[in-house]
Amino acid sequence: MKQIENGQDKMKTKIVKIDSNNIDTSLLTEAAGILKNGGLVAFPTETVYGLGADGLNEEAAKKIYAAKGRPSDNPLIVHIADFHGLEELTRECPDKGRKLAEAFWPGPLTLIFKKSSKVPLSTTGGLDTVAIRMPSHLIAYELIRTSGIYIAAPSANVSGRPSPTKAEHVIEDLDGKIDMIIDGGKVNIGLESTIVDVTSKIPVILRPGYITVDMIEKVIGRVDIDKAVFSGIQDANIRPKAPGMKYKHYAPKGDLTIYEGSSENVVKAINKITEEKLLLGYRVGIIATEETFPYYKKGNVKTIGTRKDENTIARGLFEVLRDFDSEGTDYIFTESFDNNHLGQAIMNRLLKAAGYHIEKV
Ligand code: TXA
Ligand code: MG
């Protein structure tokens, strides 16, 4: 249904709650019907919420770009629910790719293959390759199975904003622009899937995520990491292989700076800069951890998790950035995290959100 509001075409978005432990099949069938008919449905996955459309329907895929305000050269991930999908969507399936799929699917890993002719260029942003993932979240998995289609789905945020980790975030960004939002509660992981390009002899990680380098190397031996993962977008000589990684991303409206150094020095430096900005009348937010929380004296201090379990940090990151946005925060100061295991993905997102602004103290 469409209605005209402020002279603009606005859609009525249906918002439904589905419990992943007890899936309401009639609601799921309704969502599947929308997708089959070329509509847009946002749904939870184990990583972040996705904005789904029929991946083999050129017009449906185009609607995703319009709703997100996404540049059309930024390709979409196609979500499948069985290995037949892998055969159908790819032209070649190298041994290492198959091994990774068998080891980590369903789960938070996206693999890049040479695409088959079935996949339209509007889905792949004009590329000859296709990104494929089999999600483990039961709602996502059952939605693909019930619809019987392959679901193209980027993160369900407006382009440039932090990825959504709960339905409220999707509503904030996409209400009135898509047909349906499935509220399945808060996601598990909180950071987008690891992306591995398996079209080269030595596979390359294009985006770090929950599936770490160590986990991948245990299955297939050496992998490389795309140089763009840790270098700034300012570096014109380094072109990321995942087109999406070149765009300004995850950026909060406030000015975000990362402080790196010993815990003591970081706390001291953040307390000092906070004091200065408060005196000038700015709203200041601090991203702290359970370990350091008591040491921040002023400003709006939020704990994202505990350093004893980096999963909690990953889960809290995008939410805290969005919360500071909705509170009109001018300056955000954050601690940094170890750059190994899951920390690699956390720092990759944090650096992008901060526009690579890092203070060593
Ligand atoms: O966890 C996830 O991956 C979530 C959930 C919804 O599955 N999806 C997601 O999609 O993060 P999106 O569109 O926000 O990020 C996809 C990334 C982009 O950086 C894009 O450029 C890259 O994947 N990508 C997609 N297809 C590609 C291809 N053929 N070659 C290289 N990079 C590709
Ligand atoms: Mg995204």
Side-chain angles (χ1 to χ4, degrees):
M1 199 213 301
K2 281 194 171 180
Q3 65 196 63
I4 304 291
E5 204 174 88
N6 303 330
Q8 279 207 318
D9 242 6
K10 203 167 184 268
M11 253 179 171
K12 173 101 184 92
T13 301
K14 183 165 182 179
I15 300 168
V16 300
K17 263 196 194 333
I18 298 185
D19 177 358
S20 55
N21 296 316
N22 182 16
I23 293 180
D24 181 326
T25 47
S26 75
L27 283 178
L28 201 78
T29 306
E30 188 183 340
I34 294 172
L35 290 169
K36 271 192 287 194
N37 287 320
L40 300 184
V41 176
F43 59 95
T45 82
E46 68 277 26
T47 55
V48 298
Y49 271 76
L51 173 59
D54 183 345
L56 302 191
N57 173 341
E58 210 154 322
E59 290 312 310
K62 279 186 189 155
K63 284 189 195 167
I64 289 183
Y65 290 93
K68 279 182 61 95
R70 179 177 174 112
S72 62
D73 68 343
N74 190 2
L76 307 172
I77 296 173
V78 184
H79 296 68
I80 62 174
D82 56 44
F83 278 83
H84 175 66
L86 183 58
E87 304 304 327
E88 220 180 325
L89 299 176
T90 59
R91 194 163 79 235
E92 244 169 57
C93 183
D95 208 36
K96 288 179 182 171
R98 184 174 301 279
K99 277 193 179 139
L100 287 175
E102 278 165 4
F104 298 111
W105 282 356
L109 176 71
T110 296
L111 298 169
I112 310 280
F113 296 98
K114 289 191 176 139
K115 81 173 191 70
S116 73
S117 58
K118 287 200 171 155
V119 186
L121 290 170
S122 57
T123 296
T124 66
L127 296 175
D128 187 39
T129 52
V130 59
I132 305 179
R133 172 162 116 79
M134 190 190 292
S136 63
H137 194 291
L138 282 181
I139 294 176
Y141 192 76
E142 287 302 328
L143 187 59
I144 305 165
R145 280 167 39 99
T146 308
S147 63
I149 58 173
Y150 303 123
I151 303 181
S155 48
N157 51 284
V158 161
S159 205
R161 293 210 73 201
S163 295
T165 55
K166 50 187 201 183
E168 288 79 357
H169 298 160
V170 183
I171 296 169
E172 212 171 83
D173 283 13
L174 298 176
D175 189 20
K177 295 182 185 162
I178 64 178
D179 298 285
M180 186 187 258
I181 296 171
I182 298 177
D183 179 351
K186 197 167 168 171
V187 301
N188 244 330
I189 295 174
L191 299 178
E192 309 85 348
S193 61
T194 307
I195 303 180
V196 184
D197 182 345
V198 293
T199 61
S200 50
K201 208 164 160 202
I202 295 171
V204 184
I205 296 180
L206 308 187
R207 179 173 75 183
Y210 182 83
I211 306 292
T212 61
V213 177
D214 296 347
M215 290 160 83
I216 293 166
E217 289 195 330
K218 265 192 196 125
V219 179
I220 55 162
R222 177 176 158 196
V223 282
D224 288 337
I225 304 181
D226 189 20
K227 276 198 209 77
V229 165
F230 292 109
S231 69
I233 16 185
Q234 305 95 324
D235 191 337
N237 295 321
I238 300 177
R239 254 185 84 231
K241 289 207 181 106
M245 299 300 275
K246 76 173 178 259
Y247 296 107
K248 193 172 154 74
H249 249 73
Y250 319 113
K253 291 171 194 144
D255 185 316
L256 173 67
T257 308
I258 305 168
Y259 282 78
E260 192 183 270
S262 71
S263 182
E264 209 185 317
N265 286 356
V266 166
V267 168
K268 219 157 78 192
I270 292 182
N271 274 332
K272 182 162 174 274
I273 184 86
T274 298
E275 185 85 48
E276 285 169 22
K277 295 297 181 195
L278 287 174
L279 276 175
L280 293 171
Y282 291 115
R283 290 190 196 182
V284 179
I286 297 174
I287 301 181
T289 50
E290 275 173 30
E291 288 73 17
T292 54
F293 182 77
Y295 301 103
Y296 293 107
K297 304 297 177 206
K298 289 186 181 157
N300 181 4
V301 190
K302 292 185 197 293
T303 304
I304 53 169
T306 168
R307 286 182 181 275
K308 289 184 199 117
D309 178 5
E310 54 187 4
N311 291 302
T312 63
I313 313 260
R315 205 176 292 140
L317 180 61
F318 289 148
E319 181 165 8
V320 94
L321 293 177
R322 277 182 179 261
D323 287 349
F324 279 134
D325 266 4
S326 49
E327 291 162 16
T329 314
D330 300 303
Y331 287 92
I332 309 165
F333 303 116
T334 180
E335 302 174 3
S336 68
F337 299 92
D338 287 342
N339 207 346
N340 46 31
H341 308 290
L342 188 53
Q344 208 168 60
I346 295 169
M347 280 312 287
N348 168 259
R349 305 309 193 278
L350 204 50
L351 278 163
K352 281 177 164 293
Y356 298 89
H357 188 189
I358 184 158
E359 293 284 337
K360 306 209 185 223
V361 291

